Amino acid sequence: MSESILFVTGTRADFGKLEPLALAARDAGFKVGFFVTGMHMLKRYGQTKFEVARVEGVEVSDFINQREGDPMDLVLSKTILGFSDYLQEHEPDLVVVHGDRIEALACTLVCATNYIRSAHIEGGEVSGTIDEVFRHCNTKLATTHFVSSQTAKQRVQSLGEAPESVFVIGSPELDTHLKPSGVSIDEVRRYYEIPFETYGIAVFHPVTSEADTMGAQAASLFGALEESGRNFVVIAPNNDPGSKDIFAVLETLPQDRFRLISSMRFAYFSELMKNAQAFVGNSSAGVREAPFLGIPSLDIGTRQNRRSQATSITACQADDRAEVMDFLSRKWGVRLTPDTAFGAGNSAERFVETLNSPVFWDVPMQKDFREA
């Protein structure tokens, strides 16, 4: 009987990375399931649990781990309790988590304490915020690691992880962006009621360590975007502390030039990005997916600090209005050479190749610290 693989998803963002891997594992004969929690369950953020439920041939289980506004430590404890109960019932052979979210941290902790094999996607990356702490914690708790680059692999090994437990596959969401989205940009505009043909994309998430200034940062950034005269599709921020202050700014923007969307289907978002004139904000999409698609991006603040060195990225602070305006003047609509530092769009293929290798399943559960 094939091994059972459980993917943990807490946000629309990590689902976009995990879905290509899950589909490839399903098609390779593995029994695949999703544990759905976090932002997926919240109405304000689009109740994206329904996006996960659309995936065919997998088992989907929902768990509400928070109310809007819950502190992160409470979310952590709720997720630990709920996921522990789930594992006792289902006993998967492998749990796959992504990145740096609090849900991933809770689940890798439960796996480690119960000696259940886990795999961490996109460890070994740096970002300069508390997210980086969570990401490195997941690295130490996980059994195996699927990283996006050789540089990330070196960082994981510098944390004492065994080289034979680290596999370079690239960033999984690039698989989706590489292939046709399956929808036209006109279909995307109609479905999400986007009133303009030429647009940029803006995504500005809270930084938990800067929660008390997020409203002011958002006001500065979106004030500059409004002053520029450009049109923007704005994707709502995630639910970290500080999001309410960002929403307060977004809800004042003129609706004829700013289309605020709580969440998007990933295929639709991919098509939207492929036709955007620029990407502005502090989402990982701006430093990973935009460079891969050759789209100029303006990286705001500290959230993605040191994440990428792509030449298509311009970095500045939210209150640097002159730099924001200069970027929108010089880079708007420019198409650049695609950057493949985070992979070439074949992550799912590499993922399944690894799963089908005895080397992967032979990685011992009991860790020993390896000197880099």
Side-chain angles (χ1 to χ4, degrees), residues 99 281 363:
V363 173

Side-chain angles (χ1 to χ4, degrees), residues 2-8 21-22 25 30-35 83 86-87 90-97 107-108 111 115-121 141-146 165 167 351-352 354-357 360-361 363 365:
S2 296
E3 287 84 356
S4 60
I5 304 177
L6 178 69
F7 292 82
V8 175
L21 306 183
F30 292 92
K31 180 181 178 181
V32 172
F34 276 98
F35 182 82
F83 193 64
Y86 180 89
L87 286 191
H90 292 81
E91 299 181 337
D93 297 301
L94 175 68
V95 173
V96 180
V97 303
C107 294
T108 52
C111 287
Y115 283 90
I116 294 173
R117 189 175 297 274
S118 63
H120 184 210
I121 309 296
L141 290 165
T143 317
T144 50
H145 317 277
F146 291 96
S165 72
F167 307 91
F351 179 69
V352 168
T354 305
L355 292 181
N356 283 326
S357 168
F360 175 80
W361 299 99
V363 173
M365 292 293 299

Side-chain angles (χ1 to χ4, degrees), residues 53-74:
R54 289 191 179 96
V55 180
E56 297 180 353
V58 304
E59 180 179 316
V60 178
S61 299
D62 296 344
F63 176 69
I64 297 174
N65 70 340
Q66 62 188 280
R67 295 184 177 90
E68 190 173 343
D70 277 353
M72 295 180 78
D73 55 351
L74 183 57

Side-chain angles (χ1 to χ4, degrees), residues 16-17 23 51 61 76 159 167 169 201 241 248 294 317 320 368:
K17 296 169 181 287
L23 293 178
E51 290 298 308
S61 299
L76 176 69
L159 292 170
F167 307 91
I169 64 169
I201 298 175
Q317 297 303 309
D320 191 345
D368 59 335

